[in-house]
């Protein structure tokens, strides 16, 4: 259950209510620390926001976290107020010039390091196109030197191109931020197919660790229905050999909160910008739920709130992986958002009364 290396011990009480000690240790994989690719080929679903704020929350718990900005848009880099032109090096040099990752690493906060991106990274896809082993460049960079981190979170670009393939080849786990609406589900099928392909051909250990619902509209029926569809889809894969057969949906949902949209323009995380906001509350809860899973996502606590929190053991005789796409709701058959049929109908999502900060549309990035 416990991995090798790392010595952090956390007492989880708040959201899990377990009140028991959970010991989290980083586990080496091919000499690497626990590496999670945070990906979804759809843009604007909360990848960067999750990497920044989940990473910051975990760092505040004492975990040594490194965030890799693998998106040429460099939103994560900007989120921490880092100017790529003044950084010693960026992911571009790491991927194209074999510059050691440690030379590009910038300490943003205690326990929290960022490897910045720059727009040049877009050219890396073209430059690497003719390179043998082009999907393994990031994996090689991570393996080239001992890294003093327990957790690497990779912020992927909104595509399934070479940069994302590098992240999937270098990681052992995938975390998928999902905005609950119909198109997001279609995209999930495509993403899972890609993960399955990478797992088969490049990285046999790869699996989908979790799905986190972001920009969640509490109280809307559509969000609840999509969440339920994802849950059923994952439940149907439990006995298979899919990379998502043990995937959990985090019970913590990151609600839409304007403070989360504002903090990047202040070059900081939600915990420094507005620690009392719902955004801070949600990412803190997500971090605690994350920590209640053991190394490599195994549960070390009996967090049996739902079957998502504690997925069952895989069946003895596993079935082959079913195709991802057909299992997803098809366009035209998806249940539209409807008012409850009767007072006894499906109850709305439990939610606290809205605050002013929750009702405003998100502002654009700097
Ligand atoms: N929970 C949230 N509530 C409000 N705005 C959010 C939330 N999560 C992300 N945003 C905003 O939505 C936009 C897209 O989020 P981002 O994390 O950059 O998505 P991605 O990295 O998937 O493209 C950004 O402007 C971000 O600040
Ligand atoms: Mg992003």
């Amino acid at each position: 259950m416990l991995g090798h290396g790392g010595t952090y011990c956390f007492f989880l009480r708040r959201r899990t209510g377990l009140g028991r000690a959970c010991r989290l240790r980083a586990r080496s994989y091919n000499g690497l620390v626990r590496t999670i690719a945070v990906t979804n080929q759809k843009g604007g679903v909360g990848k960067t926001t999750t990497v920044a704020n989940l990473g910051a929350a975990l760092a505040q718990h004492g975990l040594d976290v490194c965030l890799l900005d693998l998106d040429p848009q460099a939103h994560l880099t900007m989120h921490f107020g880092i100017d790529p032109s003044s950084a010693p090096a960026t992911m571009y040099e790491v991927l194209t010039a074999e510059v050691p990752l440690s030379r590009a690493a910038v300490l943003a906060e205690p326990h929290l390091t960022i490897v910045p991106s720059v727009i040049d990274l877009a050219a890396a896809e073209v430059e690497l196109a003719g390179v043998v082993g082009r999907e393994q460049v990031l994996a090689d960079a991570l393996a080239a030197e001992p890294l003093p981190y327990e957790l690497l979170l990779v912020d992927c670009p909104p595509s399934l191109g070479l940069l994302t393939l590098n992240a999937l080849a270098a990681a052992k786990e995938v975390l998928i931020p999902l905005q609950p609406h119909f198109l997001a589900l279609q995209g999930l099928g495509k993403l899972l197919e890609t993960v399955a392909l990478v797992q088969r051909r490049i990285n046999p250990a790869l699996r989908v660790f979790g799905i986190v619902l972001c920009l969640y509209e509490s109280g809307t029926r559509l969000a609840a229905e999509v969440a339920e569809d994802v849950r059923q889809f994952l439940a149907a894969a439990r006995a298979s050999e899919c990379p998502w057969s043990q995937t959990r949906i985090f019970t913590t949902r990151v609600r839409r909160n304007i403070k989360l949209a504002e903090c990047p323009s202040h070059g900081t995380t939600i915990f420094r910008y507005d620690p009392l906001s719902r955004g801070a509350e949600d990412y803190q809860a997500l971090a605690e739920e994350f920590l209640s899973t053991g190394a490599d996502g195994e549960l070390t606590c009996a967090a049996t709130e739902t079957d998502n929190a504690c997925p069952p053991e895989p069946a003895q005789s596993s079935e082959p992986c079913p195709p991802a796409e057909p299992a997803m709701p098809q366009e035209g058959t998806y249940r539209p958002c409807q008012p409850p049929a009767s007072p006894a109908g499906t109850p709305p999502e439990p939610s606290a009364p809205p605050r002013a900060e929750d009702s405003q549309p998100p502002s654009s990035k700097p």
Side-chain angles (χ1 to χ4, degrees):
M1 187 69 71
L2 293 174
H4 318 288
T7 52
Y8 287 91
C9 186
F10 300 102
F11 292 86
L12 307 176
R13 295 187 194 90
R14 280 180 52 189
R15 186 175 170 82
T16 58
L18 296 169
R20 69 167 72 172
C22 286
R23 199 163 177 207
L24 183 88
R25 289 181 171 190
R27 171 179 289 183
S28 292
Y29 169 63
N30 285 348
L32 308 179
V33 294
R34 183 177 178 185
T35 303
I36 302 179
V38 181
T39 188
N40 186 329
Q41 76 276 22
K42 186 161 169 26
V45 297
K47 293 183 290 297
T48 302
T49 307
T50 297
V51 170
N53 294 301
L54 175 62
L58 292 171
Q60 284 179 3
H61 279 267
L63 206 65
D64 283 315
V65 181
C66 179
L67 311 180
L68 306 188
D69 192 348
L70 210 57
D71 185 351
Q73 296 177 99
H75 287 170
L76 181 69
T77 304
M78 288 186 244
H79 206 307
F80 286 91
I82 298 168
D83 176 7
S85 62
S86 60
T90 67
M91 281 307 306
Y92 174 74
E93 286 84 21
V94 170
L95 294 183
T96 62
E98 296 189 21
V99 167
L101 203 82
S102 55
R103 240 178 76 195
V106 176
L107 187 67
E109 294 179 8
H111 300 288
L112 188 65
T113 301
I114 319 292
V115 179
S117 174
V118 68
I119 188 70
D120 298 353
L121 193 56
E125 292 210 284
V126 180
E127 289 176 38
L128 292 174
V131 172
V132 176
R134 54 189 171 272
E135 304 92 357
Q136 302 278 13
V137 182
L138 179 60
D140 290 348
L142 297 182
E145 58 182 329
L147 295 168
Y149 313 114
E150 292 171 278
L151 178 69
L152 288 173
L153 294 177
V154 187
D155 186 24
C156 293
S159 75
L160 293 175
L162 190 52
L163 291 170
T164 298
L165 285 182
N166 264 273
L168 295 178
K172 190 175 176 187
E173 298 165 80
V174 175
L175 176 64
I176 303 176
L178 195 78
Q179 190 181 357
H181 57 62
F182 173 67
L183 291 176
L185 284 171
Q186 281 191 320
L188 179 64
K190 179 76 187 151
L191 174 58
L192 293 178
E193 279 177 9
T194 304
V195 171
L197 200 66
V198 172
Q199 188 228 25
R200 271 203 311 277
R201 296 195 178 161
I202 304 176
N203 183 1
L206 186 66
R207 66 197 183 92
V208 182
F209 161 56
I211 293 177
V212 54
L213 298 174
C214 292
L215 290 139
Y216 195 84
E217 306 272 8
S218 300
T220 68
R221 190 147 177 198
L222 179 65
E225 285 182 351
V226 172
E228 174 58 18
D229 280 341
V230 176
R231 195 194 66 76
Q232 285 181 14
F233 170 72
L234 294 176
R238 290 281 181 245
S240 75
E241 293 170 348
C242 299
W244 56 91
S245 64
Q246 294 296 294
T247 301
R248 80 199 64 239
I249 306 182
F250 282 89
T251 55
T252 304
R253 290 157 183 189
V254 181
R255 294 164 289 183
R256 187 181 279 278
N257 179 260
I258 191 65
K259 301 294 181 184
L260 285 168
E262 287 170 1
C263 63
S265 60
H266 294 262
T268 191
T269 66
I270 193 67
F271 302 104
R272 287 172 189 255
Y273 178 63
D274 191 343
L276 300 178
S277 65
R278 285 212 174 143
E281 203 179 292
D282 289 348
Y283 276 108
Q284 182 60 31
L286 185 66
E288 289 176 5
E289 191 177 348
F290 182 96
L291 291 173
S292 74
T293 68
D296 288 357
E298 291 164 8
L299 281 178
T300 54
C301 303
T304 52
E305 214 180 317
T306 69
D307 63 344
N308 295 318
C310 192
E313 289 294 312
Q316 285 296 321
S317 57
S318 290
E319 296 162 10
C321 186
E325 196 68 61
M328 305 309 294
Q330 298 299 304
E331 199 165 5
T333 62
Y334 192 73
R335 297 183 301 285
C337 184
Q338 291 170 345
S342 70
T346 309
E349 283 283 293
S351 63
R355 295 180 194 171
E357 64 184 61
D358 300 318
S359 56
Q360 299 164 47
S363 66
S364 57
K365 284 194 171 274

